[in-house]
Each structure stands twice: as structure tokens, then as C-alpha cells.
Amino acid sequence: MNSPSLVDTTPDTAMTAPSRGRLVYRHRWPIRLMHWINVIALSILFMSGLQIFNAHPSLSLGNRSDPGKEILALDARMGADGKLVGVTRIGRHEFVTTGVLGVSAGPDGQPQVRGFPSWLTIPGPRWLAMGRQWHFFFAWVFVLNGLCYLGYSLATRHFQRDLVPTKQDWRGIGRSIVDHIKFKHPHGEEALRYNILQRLAYLVVILVFGIGIVLMGLAMSPRMDAVLSPLVEAVGGRQSARTIHFIIAWGFVAFVLIHVFEVIITGAFNQLRGMITGWYRIDETPTPGEAGEATENRHD
């Protein structure tokens, strides 16, 4: 997280380095703990979800999944040379994806028919029952961790203060877009504050992706008909809910890839230290009057 909060000048927590900037306490331990729980939970949810998807590697709209009417299908066919060929169909368009989608190497190294390859699924071999157990267990971990995050963020005003865009943020959205295109990032104290694009991205991930993927997961369950039937009808049926669930999952992947890219280009060691220990170095040289002064920026 990249935002400033309380400043506490306490000498016994001072960490200064006049020639290299100074360390600030950026992330409190509850935020760090929930961040890493999410990393683990989402990774396992994604890989076990692909294992479940492999049992029926296609996406449809409505309440039925009729052959030939899928919007996405990972399939296989026998080639002219007698070898398996992986095929990905998107609508009426067909692509050969042997080795990655449709057909990939099995545990014995031989080609086998499967939607996603074994190295991308948990567990690796075809084991739907175990994949479902992994998925449902970590779904609860994800939900409970998310509720804890929202409760903590609202109670400490981290959500209102650091994630909700201000009028000043909206006025600077053009500059923020240009800066990101140029890979220009803030330095010093400014690096401790989320810019408008970061705030919007986190809000979308939390309020749209997070809540949406949970609701679509519930809507896919036949046992939830009595409770969520209006939601199922609103999205067009269980197969539509499954498709939306799948799309949001890949939305999380896109967010993570962009997030990791930003971490790397803005200083991977410094960013990781901040999210592991809480301490983050800002690249500014303190004035003589600031020498020995401790600055603690606690991220609620």
C-alpha cells in the first residue's frame, strides 16, 4: 500500500540514512498479514479453479451448456498425422494451441487431453474432487480475510482516507495517466501516497472483483437457488455466472501482473521490505535539522 497516515516523531524508532534517504514505517502488521494471506489464497484459488474448469473446459451463457454454442471451448482433435491437436475456440474462431491449451504433456510426458496444463492446476493430475476441496477451503479463507480487511480499513479510516479519491485526485487524473505511460513515478514523501489510478484500481479489485467473484461463485451452486435466484436470473443463468466468475478470475491475474510490474520498476527490494517488515525507504536527503529525527508513517 502506498499512502501516508499518522506521523510520530519517536527517537527510539528512528531509522535514518542521510546519504540514501530515510526509512518510514509504512504498513502496519494487520495490513501486511492480510496482504500475504490474500496472495496465498488467490494463488491457490486460481490454480484449483482451473482444475475444476478442466472437468468441463468451456464457457457458455444462460442456464445450459450446449455443444457448439459455447463462447469459449478448450478441445482436442486428432490431426492428419495421428497426433493429438489442442484447439481453442472463441465463438466461431478456432486456434491451434497444442502444448498449452486443449492438449498438453501429462505426468508421463505424453500428450493428453486437458483444458489447462497440469503445471497450472492444483493438484497437477486430474483430480476434480481434491481440486474442489482446495478451492472451497481457500474460498472461505479469501472471504473471511476480505471481511477482516474491510472491517479493519473502515475502523481505522484507512479505506476512507487512503482509497477513496479526493477532488484533488480527480483533478490530477490526466497527469497521473501521462506519468504512468512515461513510467514516471513519485519520489520522497509523495511516494507514500496512492495516486488516483492506484486508488481506482484497488477500489475495483476490492468492490467489483472481490465481491463479484464471490457472488458469482455462490450463484453457480444449485444449493443457492432459493437464496440467490434473483441474482442468478439477473446475470442470465448459472452458466452465465460461471463465465463471469472465470472472467473476473483472469481480471485478478491481470491486476497482479500489473502490480508486480509496478513493484519491480519502482524498486522491488524496497517495496517487498515495506510489505514484509513495514519499513520503506524514501529517496530524499534530510536537512540538517531533520538528522536524528524519526518519522513513522503507519499505514492503517
Side-chain angles (χ1 to χ4, degrees):
M1 302 283 180
N2 302 332
S3 37
S5 52
L6 303 179
V7 176
D8 178 19
T9 55
T10 308
D12 61 353
T13 60
M15 288 193 182
T16 61
S19 61
R20 297 172 57 192
R22 72 177 188 277
L23 289 175
V24 295
Y25 191 67
R26 191 181 190 186
H27 306 294
R28 293 189 178 187
W29 72 264
I31 291 292
R32 304 199 308 272
L33 176 62
M34 289 182 282
H35 171 273
W36 292 113
I37 289 176
N38 246 11
V39 169
I40 296 171
L42 282 173
S43 298
I44 295 176
L45 279 170
F46 179 73
M47 298 178 75
S48 60
L50 294 184
Q51 177 72 269
I52 298 170
F53 179 85
N54 275 355
H56 183 64
S58 66
L59 297 174
S60 301
L61 298 176
N63 276 308
R64 296 166 56 91
S65 181
D66 297 324
K69 295 184 178 180
E70 306 94 344
I71 61 173
L72 170 70
L74 307 182
D75 207 345
R77 66 167 181 251
M78 196 65 70
D81 56 359
K83 295 182 179 180
L84 285 171
V85 177
V87 176
T88 297
R89 295 198 310 274
I90 302 176
R92 298 181 179 180
H93 301 281
E94 190 174 282
F95 309 91
V96 174
T97 51
T98 307
V100 182
L101 303 175
V103 172
S104 55
D108 58 356
Q110 297 300 312
Q112 68 173 207
V113 178
R114 56 181 296 138
F116 287 93
S118 58
W119 56 265
L120 199 55
T121 63
I122 290 180
R126 291 180 177 176
W127 195 353
L128 176 60
M130 184 58 68
R132 287 170 63 90
Q133 289 185 33
W134 279 82
H135 198 73
F136 295 148
F137 176 81
F138 280 93
W140 280 112
V141 173
F142 176 73
V143 169
L144 293 175
N145 191 58
L147 291 174
C148 288
Y149 174 80
L150 283 175
Y152 178 85
S153 297
L154 291 172
T156 60
R157 296 194 61 78
H158 158 61
F159 190 90
Q160 303 92 314
R161 182 184 62 245
D162 300 325
L163 297 183
V164 177
T166 64
K167 291 182 179 179
Q168 181 181 355
D169 290 325
W170 285 111
R171 286 195 292 268
I173 191 170
R175 168 58 68 86
S176 186
I177 292 173
V178 172
D179 286 346
H180 275 75
I181 292 175
K182 294 181 177 180
F183 298 113
K184 181 180 178 181
H185 298 88
H187 299 278
E189 295 287 344
E190 186 62 25
L192 300 176
R193 183 179 184 278
Y194 288 150
N195 60 54
I196 178 66
L197 297 185
Q198 287 174 308
R199 292 178 182 234
L200 292 177
Y202 285 127
L203 287 176
V204 168
V205 167
I206 295 168
L207 301 179
V208 179
F209 288 5
I211 295 176
I213 203 166
V214 172
L215 289 177
M216 292 304 100
L218 292 172
M220 290 160 54
S221 172
R223 298 180 180 180
M224 297 301 295
D225 268 357
V227 179
L228 293 177
S229 57
L231 175 63
V232 177
E233 293 175 4
V235 299
R238 285 201 198 96
Q239 291 301 321
S240 296
R242 183 172 183 262
T243 298
I244 297 171
H245 188 83
F246 184 87
I247 293 172
I248 294 177
W250 283 99
F252 270 114
V253 173
F255 168 79
V256 169
L257 291 177
I258 295 171
H259 180 66
V260 171
F261 175 75
E262 289 290 330
V263 165
I264 292 173
I265 66 175
T266 56
F269 176 78
N270 197 27
Q271 297 284 1
L272 285 173
R273 175 176 54 194
M275 193 49 73
I276 294 173
T277 69
W279 291 96
Y280 178 85
R281 187 180 298 280
I282 57 175
D283 56 348
E284 65 178 23
T285 302
T287 62
E290 292 174 324
E293 181 178 288
T295 301
E296 183 179 354
N297 280 40
R298 292 200 182 107
H299 190 153
D300 295 331

